[in-house]
């Protein structure tokens, strides 16, 4: 019999693509004793969580709740509910996570058209308009904050454009909720999913989703059964809706966590939170640039919360990341797919987006780059970041 | 803007069908800061969790891990991976949760045959043999501990019987793992799922599954893609298997929780834990019987961890359960489906199966029954329970 000792992980600072560190108040909420999942007090907590989530998403959508599983299940929940076999879907592909949307949509029996752009670039309206005109899809899927490339897709006019062609707009907001501007109603988003472990500073385990009335009607009018029982919103909406009819047992403690994470978001205020992420990004970017690390995403569309930079020629990805972890307890992310071994991804998300962490990661990275034989002027990264903070003050 | 205050639920004793109270050590583990989901230390924790789970399931199956969602997702994970469209499945139906198995199997495109027995009874081998002979299914699904009726299905010879007909045995162990005898390898179980919030005394959020080599081969030999991306074991087994290839972000904190819950199970010892559940059940049953509450499950097949009893004629279900909650902070469960309003379900699961709780629930229920106008001899329930404990001592 294997003897397994008490849980004792080393302290970490999680500056990768997520999970990001959970806020201490979230961790504390998670040690709260359980309520039953049908307890009137838990129903109140569900209502409160939904209301907080609506405020964070800037939506009035009644069908707004956390799916009882991680972010990818949120993507699947949106697709399996909106799509019936034979429906047409357009997926805008310019990174790893849009390729997953293609895969998941394909498994629903959808006829998937891929609108492709190079990784690290954004889509323009004209291109999307032409595709909508040609394909006439039921759903257009797009990633708001592409975590694999660090690219921020402009969203303001996309909803109107989709609705012009009677198409539903589906948005991956896994890395944007709680970090950068996100306005579900104003932008005309019909279905959106996110996660708990990035901008909301909770552990992974929930996927907050929201559906417009238009999308909700489409789900209610389905002719075929949703292929997933667990994610079938025609039933789940009775549990998270008015009736509170038992469907599955909600993950009580994760709901405690996201409620606390959302409270923190709203206490800070959305505008203030978005600004904080931008400010720390400007400082981090100045530092990384000074150290000779170029961004992978096109200029003007770089994500503040996820900084993807090219690894210098001749430097081994894993050696540096291992040193960062072993010597400083700092996790940064490697590249995915085409970017594997070529890109580092530095997250500054939620609670972790903080000047202290910007200066720390720049110092640590400078040290590791020097170990790897890269000539970095001592302190250049930190100096550049500090200059930005001085300017912002 | 709705103001949502600090989390402050009333203290509860959860003696319903689950969630059961989380053990204090589990709650404490859940406030541990996060590791990244690809951190070498988290990989070790995953390995340890899998090994602990194998010990709790009494299996050597390599493919043993917690699905990143609640129990019903475990059921769906088993069915969508084992079944391809057109495959034949037999489901043994004698309660609410087997009806869900029929629904979920149907959504995979399976040809489902239902072997039906009255709620609260068990299946006999001869009946199953005849069905296997007639239908020749790929999978036979059965519920080990039916939570809606409080019935314990004998399992010892079922595996051999299924294998005689080249059929895979799929078992719902949502309410049995960590409570009563469960021997995956010895009983020849090919696929099994459970939950975290009952016998393991963790919050809901994970579904521990295990697959025999026979079942694993069937999954690997699939001709069609698994319809669910999130639950696709052909990919997930590379994440929870040797390669640790990124699939989705594991719910770190829930893994911390189940690891601690499993440590508690194995520290106590499986045999000792099963015996504890039986002893407290005997006392509880003596008490409930003395108070005139008959069991719904057939004699000799009553679940120790979930005691389903008929509500006395003329007593309103909800009135009593509300009083139990308001006056004593005790949650007991109501009936599901056909048993709604007719049955109470009293759980004594995991950490909660404890003489203190047996005496408390009997006293509280006696009080509420008297309020409802039922003539109960004062203290008869507690006296009967204490007599059992005296005998066991």
């Amino acid at each position: 019999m294997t003897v397994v000792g008490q849980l004792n992980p080393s302290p970490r600072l999680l500056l990768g693509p997520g999970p990001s560190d959970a806020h201490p108040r979230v961790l504390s909420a998670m040690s709260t004793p359980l309520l039953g999942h049908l307890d009137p007090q838990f129903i109140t907590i569900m209502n409160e969580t939904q209301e907080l989530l609506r405020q964070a998403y800037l939506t009035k959508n009644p069908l707004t709740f956390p799916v009882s599983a991680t972010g990818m299940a949120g993507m699947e929940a949106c697709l399996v509910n909106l799509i019936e076999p034979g429906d047409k879907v357009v997926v805008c592909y310019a990174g790893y996570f849009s390729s997953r949307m293609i895969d998941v949509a394909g498994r629903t029996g959808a006829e998937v058209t891929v609108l492709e752009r190079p990784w690290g670039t954004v889509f323009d309206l004209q291109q999307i308009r032409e595709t909508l005109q040609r394909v006439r899809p039921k759903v257009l899927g797009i990633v708001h904050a592409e975590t694999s490339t660090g690219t921020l897709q402009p969203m303001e006019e996309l909803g109107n454009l989709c609705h012009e062609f009677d198409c539903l707009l589906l948005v991956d907001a896994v890395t944007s909720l709680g970090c950068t501007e996100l306005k579900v109603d104003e932008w005309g988003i019909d279905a959106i999913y996110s996660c708990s472990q990035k901008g909301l500073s909770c552990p992974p385990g929930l996927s907050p989703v929201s559906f417009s009335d238009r999308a909700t009607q489409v789900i209610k009018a389905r002719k075929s059964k949703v292929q997933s029982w667990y994610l079938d919103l025609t039933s789940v909406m009775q549990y998270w809706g008015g009736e509170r009819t038992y469907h599955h047992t909600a993950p009580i403690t994760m709901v405690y966590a996201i409620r606390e994470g959302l409270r923190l978001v709203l206490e800070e205020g959305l505008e203030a939170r978005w600004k904080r992420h931008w400010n720390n990004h400007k400082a981090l970017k100045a530092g990384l640039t000074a150290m000779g690390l170029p961004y992978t995403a096109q200029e003007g569309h770089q994500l503040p919360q996820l900084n993807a930079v090219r690894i210098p020629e001749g430097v081994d990805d894993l050696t540096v990341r291992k040193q960062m972890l072993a010597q400083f307890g700092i996790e940064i992310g490697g590249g995915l797919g085409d970017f594997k071994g070529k890109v580092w991804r530095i997250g500054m998300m939620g609670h972790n987006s903080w000047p202290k962490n910007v200066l720390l990661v720049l110092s640590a990275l400078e040290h590791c780059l020097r170990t790897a034989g890269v000539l970095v002027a001592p302190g250049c990264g930190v100096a550049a970041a500090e200059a930005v903070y001085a300017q912002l003050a």
Side-chain angles (χ1 to χ4, degrees), chain A residues 192-213:
Chain A
I192 192 164
Y193 56 92
S194 187
C195 72
S196 48
Q197 77 272 14
K198 300 189 182 193
L200 302 185
S201 300
C202 297
L206 290 178
S207 177
V209 295
S210 185
F211 294 86
S212 69
D213 288 339

Side-chain angles (χ1 to χ4, degrees), chain A residues 4-14 21 27 325 329 331:
Chain A
V4 172
Q6 199 183 335
L7 192 66
N8 188 28
S10 299
R12 295 286 192 240
L13 175 61
L14 302 179
D21 289 272
L27 291 178
L325 200 63
E331 178 178 278

Side-chain angles (χ1 to χ4, degrees), chain A residues 33-230:
Chain A
L34 301 179
L35 288 168
H37 65 116
L38 301 169
D39 191 305
Q41 290 193 13
F42 188 67
I43 305 292
T44 302
I45 286 171
M46 290 168 80
N47 289 336
E48 290 169 346
T49 303
Q50 290 182 279
E51 187 45 39
L52 291 168
L53 198 48
R54 285 185 199 107
Q55 291 175 21
Y57 264 144
L58 290 173
T59 182
K60 296 204 187 314
N61 289 338
L63 191 54
T64 302
F65 71 96
V67 167
S68 301
T70 62
M72 279 302 300
M75 181 197 284
E76 188 161 329
C78 290
L79 287 163
V80 297
N81 282 281
L82 293 176
I83 294 170
E84 300 192 61
D87 283 344
K88 287 179 185 164
V89 176
V90 167
V91 177
C92 299
Y93 167 78
Y96 187 80
F97 287 92
S98 37
S99 71
R100 291 195 156 186
M101 213 189 263
I102 296 167
D103 184 347
V104 177
R107 293 179 197 229
T108 65
E111 201 180 294
V112 183
T113 302
V114 179
L115 176 56
E116 190 172 346
R117 289 268 300 144
W119 281 37
T121 64
V122 298
F123 295 86
D124 68 60
L125 286 179
Q126 189 50 35
Q127 199 180 14
I128 292 174
R129 170 180 291 278
E130 283 162 17
T131 311
L132 291 174
Q133 209 145 24
R134 181 168 52 83
V135 180
R136 299 277 172 169
K138 182 181 191 181
V139 174
L140 176 109
I142 195 161
V143 178
H144 182 212
E146 175 58 66
T147 324
S148 63
T149 62
T151 310
L152 182 60
Q153 171 66 41
M155 295 292 306
E156 291 76 358
E157 297 167 66
L158 219 47
N160 281 340
L161 178 60
C162 285
H163 299 156
E164 212 181 293
F165 294 93
D166 204 21
C167 166
L168 296 168
L169 174 59
L170 166 64
V171 173
D172 178 324
V174 168
T175 303
S176 51
L177 178 63
C179 296
T180 37
E181 214 176 23
L182 178 59
K183 300 177 171 176
V184 169
D185 286 359
E186 195 178 314
W187 295 352
I189 294 171
D190 293 300
I192 192 164
Y193 56 92
S194 187
C195 72
S196 48
Q197 77 272 14
K198 300 189 182 193
L200 302 185
S201 300
C202 297
L206 290 178
S207 177
V209 295
S210 185
F211 294 86
S212 69
D213 288 339
R214 189 186 284 108
T216 306
Q217 289 315 315
V218 165
I219 296 170
K220 285 184 175 165
R222 287 180 65 94
K223 289 192 190 75
S224 58
K225 256 193 187 179
V226 176
Q227 65 191 38
S228 167
W229 185 94
Y230 192 65

Side-chain angles (χ1 to χ4, degrees), chain A residues 336-352:
Chain A
L336 286 174
D338 295 354
F339 282 0
K340 196 173 177 182
K342 297 177 190 157
V343 164
W344 286 321
R345 296 182 297 154
I346 302 171
M348 287 282 159
M349 297 171 172
H351 164 56
N352 273 1

